[in-house]
Amino acid sequence: KSWLIAQSWLETADKPLLAIFTGDDGSNGLSPTGVREALIEKLIEQTGQTTTPARVAGWQRRFDRWSGATAVGCRIGVVFDGLNQRPEMDWARTVDAMAELLRTIGGRLVVTCRTAFFNANVRRRVCSLTTLVEVPEWTDAERDAILSGRAIDAGGLHPEAARSLKNPRLLGIALELLDRAQIGELTELSVS
């Protein structure tokens, strides 16, 4: 899901600013009442700068200008990636607060998390207009094509490992960390 967002952004002709919050950012001041401050802090951090009163004031002024002008397209995208990593957070209220801020300054919010977590903890409580995009596992043919591109014969995989490698995250991790021989020797693979 995370790579899908990055790939979509890269393929966009007029790229907006993009701020990415991971689930771990929930412990660093991201809350329903502090989304504006958290977004400014994230933008400063992602540009490799240190937070100073002047930089914060500059972003405040920019947000104020943006809120008074009609946006053509999307000025800024914000990603909350992996909500399920911090299940104790009040994500529904934080999503609503960030979505409202972005609506006023010409931005969009994208949220990623496991479907079961979203449905159980966020979906019913969020008030913002949402569009759900489910990212399915790879089909056998897609997985096999990816493995073939790395000179790995999917037909030689243990059935349980082959099934697990349909999960995009697990396949990506396996390809990143293991060589061809190790992938071919797997008998099982799980998220843990």
Side-chain angles (χ1 to χ4, degrees), residues 10-186:
L10 286 170
E11 292 176 4
T12 301
D14 294 322
K15 292 174 181 48
L17 289 172
L18 187 63
I20 301 173
F21 290 87
T22 65
D24 293 335
D25 287 320
S27 61
N28 298 329
L30 183 59
S31 71
T33 59
V35 293
R36 185 177 176 113
E37 295 77 13
L39 178 54
I40 289 171
E41 181 70 30
K42 180 59 71 174
L43 290 166
I44 292 170
E45 173 191 319
Q46 285 186 184
T47 56
Q49 300 175 329
T50 55
T51 302
T52 65
R55 286 193 179 106
V56 170
W59 279 107
Q60 293 280 11
R61 285 190 303 275
R62 180 174 288 149
F63 284 5
D64 290 343
R65 279 193 314 271
W66 286 351
S67 67
T70 303
V72 176
C74 178
R75 287 187 179 107
I76 181 168
V78 173
V79 178
F80 286 170
D81 189 31
L83 272 56
N84 50 280
Q85 294 173 9
R86 296 294 303 235
E88 72 283 358
M89 289 269 306
D90 187 356
W91 283 114
R93 288 186 56 224
T94 305
V95 164
D96 280 338
M98 183 62 79
E100 177 58 22
L101 169 64
L102 293 171
R103 186 192 62 73
T104 65
I105 63 174
R108 295 283 186 264
L109 176 63
V110 176
V111 173
T112 70
C113 68
R114 293 191 178 144
T115 303
F117 178 84
F118 184 79
N119 288 338
N121 300 291
V122 182
R123 187 177 195 172
R124 294 184 318 261
R125 294 182 52 231
V126 74
C127 297
S128 304
L129 180 63
T130 58
T131 301
L132 297 178
V133 178
E134 292 196 34
V135 179
E137 289 192 337
W138 298 115
T139 65
D140 290 345
E142 289 169 327
R143 178 210 52 218
D144 295 351
I146 293 167
L147 291 171
S148 177
R150 300 285 186 100
I152 300 169
D153 176 23
L157 295 175
H158 185 279
E160 189 64 29
R163 186 190 58 73
S164 296
L165 290 174
K166 289 171 57 174
N167 178 307
R169 175 182 281 178
L170 292 179
L171 179 59
I173 291 169
L175 291 174
E176 184 73 26
L177 298 179
L178 305 173
D179 62 32
R180 283 192 308 254
Q182 290 172 312
I183 290 173
E185 294 171 3
L186 289 173

